[in-house]
Amino acid sequence: MAKGLLGGIIAGGLLGMLLGNGFGALAGGGMLMALLQIVLIGGLVWFAFRLFRRRSIAAPAAAGMASFAGAPTSAGNQGGFTAAPRPMPVAEVRSHEIAITRDDQQSFERLLTEVQEALSAEDYARLRACTTPEIMSYLAEELSQNATRGLRNEAFGTKLLKAEIAEAWNEGAEDYATVAMKYERIDVTRNRQTGAVVEGDPDHPTRSTELWTFVRRAPDSWRLSAIQQA
């Protein structure tokens, strides 16, 4: 305050000299008025100087703050990591093992024979009754290819030699069972027109080991859903 007031008095004196009064105006009768004018002018000059100085300091600071706020943030200046939202889990079908009864085993053996006989007779209706639509389409395509080439497959005398339950489980409303089936049968391919044997031995059975997968939706019975070579 003292420095500002002193600076204001000096500035007021200089102003008075410029106006032609000089410092002598302090000795005249208007000393009080002159003093008030000096104080007033000095105060205005000091206030303007302080205001200008504050704006000069604040301008770079504001510029620096804008630059920092506009800069891309990183994990280092955030003070910690923000965990990304976890994706919603995909709905999972709960599965668990199931027990296979003696009746189930008999159903698997019966289906083995029925599928072989239906294929040999090219009985599509019988095939649909004991298979799922997926495996039915595969078997129907095989029959169609044989017919296109003028061939006919015959399989009879099917006999189950050994069967082992590879796995049995439940998914929702459906039961599944995969069975390793070793069986023998007479399997020959004949010419449709002449009946001549093109492939296979009609007098000696051939043995095969395959993985048959069956599916059941209560209260329906077991049906064949897949065949895979073991």
Side-chain angles (χ1 to χ4, degrees):
M1 286 289 291
K3 291 181 179 179
L5 182 58
L6 180 59
I9 293 174
I10 295 174
L14 292 175
L15 183 60
M17 291 177 64
L18 292 175
L19 294 176
N21 295 326
F23 282 101
L26 293 175
M31 180 177 179
L32 180 60
M33 290 297 297
L35 182 60
L36 291 176
Q37 290 178 359
I38 291 173
V39 173
L40 179 60
I41 295 174
L44 292 175
V45 172
W46 173 79
F47 178 79
F49 174 78
R50 294 282 295 184
L51 182 61
F52 176 79
R53 186 170 180 271
R54 286 181 179 178
R55 288 184 177 180
S56 298
I57 296 175
M65 184 176 295
S67 175
F68 178 81
T73 57
S74 63
N77 59 34
Q78 286 180 350
F81 292 94
T82 302
R86 297 180 60 185
M88 295 295 293
V90 178
E92 297 181 356
V93 178
R94 295 183 178 273
S95 62
H96 57 84
E97 296 182 359
I98 60 173
I100 298 299
T101 65
R102 179 60 182 169
D103 292 340
D104 296 330
Q105 296 175 7
Q106 292 177 352
S107 296
F108 301 152
E109 185 174 358
R110 175 180 55 80
L111 285 171
L112 172 66
T113 303
E114 285 189 4
V115 170
Q116 299 292 343
E117 292 178 352
L119 284 172
S120 180
E122 296 182 344
D123 190 340
Y124 288 85
R126 189 175 179 185
L127 277 175
R128 291 191 187 93
C130 58
T131 63
T132 62
E134 292 78 15
I135 189 65
M136 174 61 197
S137 63
Y138 172 80
L139 297 176
E141 182 180 357
E142 183 176 337
L143 291 175
S144 177
Q145 290 177 356
N146 284 339
T148 301
R149 293 181 295 175
L151 302 176
R152 181 189 184 95
N153 181 258
E154 292 182 359
F156 53 91
T158 302
K159 180 180 179 181
L160 180 63
L161 302 177
K162 185 179 181 180
E164 293 182 359
I165 305 299
E167 56 181 341
W169 70 100
N170 169 268
E171 291 185 7
E174 295 180 331
D175 295 334
Y176 292 86
T178 298
V179 186
M181 308 184 78
K182 183 179 181 179
Y183 62 95
E184 64 179 19
R185 61 178 177 172
I186 300 295
D187 186 7
V188 295
T189 302
R190 298 180 180 273
N191 184 288
R192 281 182 175 270
Q193 299 297 328
T194 64
V197 175
V198 176
E199 185 179 358
D201 188 348
D203 299 323
H204 297 86
T206 60
R207 293 187 175 183
S208 302
T209 302
E210 299 171 333
L211 295 174
W212 285 41
T213 299
F214 304 91
V215 62
R216 172 181 62 187
R217 179 186 289 267
D220 299 336
S221 58
W222 290 100
R223 304 171 72 184
L224 176 65
S225 64
I227 300 176
Q228 182 180 0
Q229 295 295 327

